[in-house]
Amino acid sequence: MHRINIVKLLSLLLLTVTFSVHAQDESQNDNHAENSHTVKDLKTEIKEYISHHLLDSHDFTLFSYTTVEGDHKYIGFPLPVILWDNGIKIFSSSKLHHGESVAELNGEYFSLYHNKIYKTDAEGTITFDNHQHPTNSKPLDFSLTKNVAFIILVGLFMLWMFNSMAKSYKKSTIPSGIGRFLEPIILYVRNDIAIPNIGEKHYKKYMSYLLTVFFFVWIINLLGLTPLGVNVTNNIAVTFALALITYLFTTFTANKNYWKHIFWMPGVPLPMKIILAPIELLGTFIKPFSLMIRLYANITAGHIVLMSIIGLMFIFKNWIGSPLSFGLAFALALLELLVAALQAYIFTMLSALYFGMAVEEHEHSEHH
Amino acid sequence: MEKLIEQFSLGLFVWQLILFVGLVLLLKKFAWGPILNAVNEREEGIKDALEEAENARKEIQNLTADNERILKEARSERDAMLKEAREMKESIITDAKEEAKAQASKVVEQAQATIQAEKHAAIADLKNQVAELSVGIAEKVIRAELTNKDKQIKLVEEMLKEVTIS
């Protein structure tokens, strides 16, 4: 109980720090707007800032600000850029200078435009088509971006945390240290998510995946709320990868009954069987697809709303509006804390449900 | 939707896929396996311990029942033994009494017989002594008498008369 309180307190503290950092950022951007007499108004700037915040980037920027002279300053560190363009090409993202300069490598030039790397000439010219889409050739980008780096960090953190927990069991079967907090959660995943949905007989082979996905999504969602501002789960690529694993796992562990219920539904008339088959088949794709969209949309929406409310402070700029939006943002951040855990739970729960369908043994036909 | 597809980063997808599968496998080997095993073992242990406790409880119950039964048996045995002892005591006493009575009557009989015999002997002795005494007296009388011859003959005659009568 005590430990949980500490975690709560810590999360709150981190959140308050988030606000202050963002607030500082915004105010400086605001100053910048006034000083450099740009035509962009505040609303557009906030909007751009939010959409920028939601994107992945090629370097690990903790925060950025603009000096009085109008120079952008970034506090953070560069990450390696890995490209596949007729051979592997690796260079540091510091060469790109956040899209402000062109990186040169063995006579080839690359530049950053809207967070994507394009092959350009020495001046970094980017040509556009009618729809404002760049026409430059795009090398395959396997860079260790901010999100990839964060995934690795979270992975290492989980390995360390759960490995030390596993080691503590060698001394005694009673959990000690962090295990006291984690064990009930692990048991919850096993007893209330895996076993009821998959069944006593088959749940064991899915446990590793379910536990990993639960803790991974939860931890990464929580860390997305910290001042580091790395939102991994609001990238459709990440949720797609997770959903794909669930889909493949379901498909390859499914038993005969599962396929029979998809292609030749028992207990319905023949024409219905023919109509149902494509629907059921489509359903197998829609299920993991919904997983992907749900996680992505929830986290993205949460961040957009939260940051918009924070942005409101700089639009109101009066004594009543700003505290109000601060209060609102605070309440929302608490809600996001819940959402972080809830989405991890839902993803795990639904994955378990799909696995359960795949291994269900239909002796009970009254089910249909 | 178009924006989503545009945003989709193949690099991130590939990394996430590789890293996540790697994470699952590593965690399975180094964390989930040992943790779930330990938890399972502990749960089995608790289950076993509970079962053992239940068994022990039953055993104790059986033991108590046994003890009670044994105690009961012992008590009844003791009662039986006491009863037997009492009976034996009584019978011994009665036997002893009877024997004593028989013995006493035998002793009395013997004593009576002895007394009778002694009495007869004493009477016989007395008779002898009286006879001897009478003979002596008679001798002295006769001696004094016989100094006179007539008297002697008279006495013999009288005596002869007496003999014929007896």
Side-chain angles (χ1 to χ4, degrees), chain A residues 82-98:
Chain A
I82 304 163
L83 300 177
W84 180 265
D85 181 38
N86 298 322
I88 199 156
K89 294 188 169 60
I90 302 173
F91 55 90
S92 163
S93 72
S94 60
K95 280 190 177 181
L96 293 164
H97 283 112
H98 305 270

Side-chain angles (χ1 to χ4, degrees), chain A residues 188-207:
Chain A
Y188 178 77
V189 171
R190 190 190 67 172
N191 298 341
D192 292 289
I193 296 179
I195 294 178
N197 285 311
I198 304 172
E200 198 79 61
K201 202 171 153 194
H202 298 285
Y203 82 96
K204 274 189 179 138
K205 66 180 162 204
Y206 300 107
M207 273 313 283

